[in-house]
Amino acid sequence: MEIDTAYFKTKLEQELRTLTHELTSIAEKNPENPKDWEAKGGGLDIQQADPNERADAIEEYETNVGVLKEVEVRYNDVKAALKRIEDGTYGVCEAGGEPIEKERLEANPAATTCTKHMN
Ligand SMILES: [Zn+2]
């Protein structure tokens, strides 16, 4: 069974755009390391802010850090899947080398293993 990589590539690229959008709304790229994202809110001038603002900013920052971690993991998974398409290794189970089920890729185009090796 041949995998329609063009189809999954489109899906992955769409997801990557959504994820990039999410990332830029909660984080900024580290200028010294463009691969690294930093949650927004960390640069608040704590001395200048009043206590309420400070609490809000800290809370926002902590929320952003949590969301950022999740989005970043997914972003990297999607990037890696697109790289596998380029390399011609897309849709092959990382654990056993067998083809990944189409249904599984449909549910998660960035899947790296077949259903059997999911965990
Ligand atoms: Zn497998």
Side-chain angles (χ1 to χ4, degrees):
M1 184 193 69
E2 273 297 295
I3 295 164
D4 187 354
T5 49
Y7 166 75
F8 287 111
K9 190 178 178 198
T10 307
K11 281 187 81 134
L12 285 161
E13 280 171 346
Q14 274 168 356
E15 188 172 353
L16 194 67
R17 266 198 296 275
T18 309
L19 290 166
T20 305
H21 188 79
E22 267 178 65
L23 277 175
T24 50
S25 72
I26 56 163
E28 280 162 351
K29 273 189 183 171
N30 180 345
E32 272 141 45
N33 180 8
K35 278 180 143 174
D36 196 26
W37 292 83
E38 287 176 347
K40 281 184 187 172
L44 178 81
D45 191 342
I46 297 285
Q47 306 308 321
Q48 298 289 317
D50 76 49
N52 282 336
E53 274 176 7
R54 204 182 303 171
D56 282 355
I58 291 170
E59 202 185 311
E60 192 193 329
Y61 176 66
E62 282 172 355
T63 306
N64 283 350
V65 169
V67 176
L68 174 63
K69 263 188 209 149
E70 280 175 39
V71 178
E72 215 176 4
V73 166
R74 184 68 193 161
Y75 180 86
N76 289 331
D77 285 352
V78 170
K79 279 276 228 195
L82 284 165
K83 176 86 172 39
R84 287 196 298 278
I85 289 180
E86 257 178 58
D87 295 346
T89 57
Y90 182 76
V92 177
C93 175
E94 235 175 27
E98 66 277 357
I100 301 173
E101 297 88 345
K102 196 165 177 287
E103 297 72 35
R104 170 131 168 82
L105 289 173
E106 191 68 57
N108 175 16
T112 56
T113 58
C114 69
T115 313
K116 204 175 72 182
H117 291 119
M118 252 169 102
N119 297 306

